[in-house]
Amino acid sequence: MTPSRYQRQIVLPGIGDQGQARLAAARVVIVGVGALGCASTEMLTRAGAGLAAAGGCLALLDRDVVELTNLQRQCLYTEADARAGLPKVEAAAARLAAINSEVAIRPLAADLTSANALRLLGCDQATGAKPSLIIDGTDNFATRFLLNDIAVKFQIPFCYAGVVAGAGTQATFIPGQTGCLRCLLPTPPDPSSLATCDTAGVLAPAVQIVAGAQVADAIKILTGNEARLSHSVLSFDLWTNRRTRIAIPRPDPACPCCGQRVFDFLNAPADDELARLCGQNSVQVAGHSALDLALLAQRLEPWGGVARSGVMLRFDPADLPTTRFTIFADGRAIVRGTTDPARARSLYARYIGA
Ligand SMILES: [Zn+2]
């Protein structure tokens, strides 16, 4: 008899044929197929999560196309994908199918908003439909807070992860058992106070460590080994050699999300409405919070031309010669050089943060 391709995993304590079968039947949503999403999805695909024959699937959600500067760390993409400017979900789906043809990959090229999130994630209160697990591969807190609302409302394990420069953070929130993201961080941080990957860089090995810890938790949950979860937040910086783990608190009754069950981000007006065409070749993006323009100017300086005048900041990214940002202290920005609201939001998240 030919050994199962998953033999080296099946022999692990607590997995066995039964755990492997549960993994095969899992329906996992990976939100964002950038550096983290590529690494996580590749591991889940090789592990045999979401097999078509078992009724499982891996749904990939991303709004961006492959660019040359992605290749340093986004492990599913090639130069040909970047030259063709393929949507990330399409390039990823082709690569993953070549790795494991048994997996049901569902590419979703879309911009996740509060208006479409439940449909895209396959959550339906009437039928009780929901994914087995949400993998965070996003690069911004606005989307993470939206995902946290959905995870708590529908009782879905949420595997949070983030990487900037050499630093990584990873935690798995289990609704009902652990506190949620909002127990730790009541409101999204001011974007101008945060480094983004496009301005602070990303160390690819940090991505692999975070994704590894994230997928280890996912495999524990999906194979019935939840008791092996650490229920802690892992933080490290490979560049400064720091590493800590702190316990995730119990659900906080005062938490607006898991305590009070007020889902501010899921119930907020869709960001579609917050990004709209203005003028011939410009889109206005309404930010989520006020910005410190002096701080932002400092952060953007290495990445292109920056000009400050009173209430606004002009930024011309060096690597996108046809794009210009006009940024206001209330968080608003006009992105010139596109007519696509999703593209404008993506550029906003990339340089300003979200
Ligand atoms: Zn909470």
Side-chain angles (χ1 to χ4, degrees):
M1 194 184 110
T2 331
S4 158
R5 65 184 288 167
Y6 308 113
Q7 188 55 37
R8 299 295 188 278
Q9 182 170 283
I10 289 171
V11 298
L12 291 171
I15 294 191
D17 290 329
Q18 208 182 1
Q20 189 65 40
R22 291 174 66 160
L23 193 59
R27 299 164 50 82
V28 178
V29 182
I30 298 100
V31 184
V33 199
L36 280 169
C38 277
S40 308
T41 311
E42 180 178 339
M43 281 185 273
L44 287 168
T45 298
R46 290 187 186 276
L51 301 195
C57 74
L58 299 184
L60 312 181
L61 191 83
D62 199 287
R63 62 188 175 190
D64 283 332
V65 297
V66 181
E67 294 173 42
L68 191 64
T69 56
N70 299 153
L71 303 185
Q72 164 256 355
R73 63 199 179 281
Q74 302 189 14
C75 62
L76 294 174
Y77 309 129
T78 64
E79 290 178 358
D81 297 331
R83 270 196 303 274
L86 288 184
K88 285 186 177 176
V89 290
E90 195 183 317
R95 172 76 181 145
L96 295 167
I99 290 171
N100 189 345
S101 57
E102 298 177 338
V103 176
I105 305 286
R106 285 188 57 207
L108 301 166
D111 189 26
L112 190 78
T113 69
S114 56
N116 64 18
L118 294 183
R119 177 175 57 79
L120 288 171
L121 268 66
C123 296
D124 186 336
Q125 216 154 23
T127 63
K130 62 178 183 179
S132 318
L133 189 82
I134 299 171
I135 295 275
D136 173 14
T138 67
D139 57 0
N140 67 82
F141 277 95
T143 309
R144 290 191 182 110
F145 276 69
L146 173 60
L147 293 174
N148 186 64
D149 273 3
I150 294 170
V152 169
K153 183 169 183 181
F154 288 85
Q155 303 273 299
I156 306 162
F158 176 37
C159 299
Y160 164 89
V163 179
V164 175
T169 311
Q170 178 270 332
T172 295
F173 300 105
I174 309 285
Q177 291 181 36
T178 69
C180 74
L181 178 60
R182 277 192 94 179
C183 290
L184 293 177
L185 203 64
T187 56
D190 168 6
S192 53
S193 71
L194 293 179
T196 75
C197 288
D198 291 274
T199 55
V202 196
L203 188 69
V207 172
Q208 296 294 330
I209 290 183
V210 169
Q214 185 184 42
V215 173
D217 278 1
I219 291 176
K220 286 175 185 175
I221 295 166
L222 296 173
T223 59
N225 285 282
E226 279 198 29
R228 294 176 190 268
L229 293 172
S230 73
H231 296 311
S232 64
V233 182
L234 168 66
S235 311
F236 64 84
D237 191 327
L238 286 183
W239 214 237
T240 59
N241 306 309
R242 173 184 61 78
R243 183 187 168 100
T244 59
R245 264 194 191 277
I246 56 158
I248 302 175
R250 299 276 308 151
D252 177 358
C255 169
C257 183
C258 70
Q260 315 284 320
R261 299 190 67 80
V262 175
F263 304 113
D264 291 326
F265 298 86
L266 184 56
N267 297 329
D271 285 347
D272 276 351
E273 297 155 29
L274 301 177
R276 56 186 173 79
L277 274 174
C278 63
Q280 273 225 304
N281 190 27
S282 304
V283 175
Q284 175 170 289
V285 180
H288 289 272
S289 59
L291 298 167
D292 179 335
L293 292 184
L295 202 64
L296 187 62
Q298 218 171 40
R299 188 155 60 73
L300 291 174
E301 199 104 73
W303 306 97
V306 175
R308 177 93 193 276
S309 80
V311 296
M312 64 111 175
L313 180 71
R314 184 155 287 155
F315 171 56
D316 299 306
D319 59 342
L320 296 170
T322 59
T323 303
R324 162 171 282 184
F325 289 83
T326 307
I327 307 159
F328 301 90
D330 65 359
R332 227 162 17 95
I334 292 168
V335 184
R336 205 179 75 189
T338 183
T339 53
D340 176 5
R343 170 76 178 157
R345 284 187 61 218
S346 166
L347 290 170
Y348 184 102
R350 173 192 296 195
Y351 289 103
I352 303 172

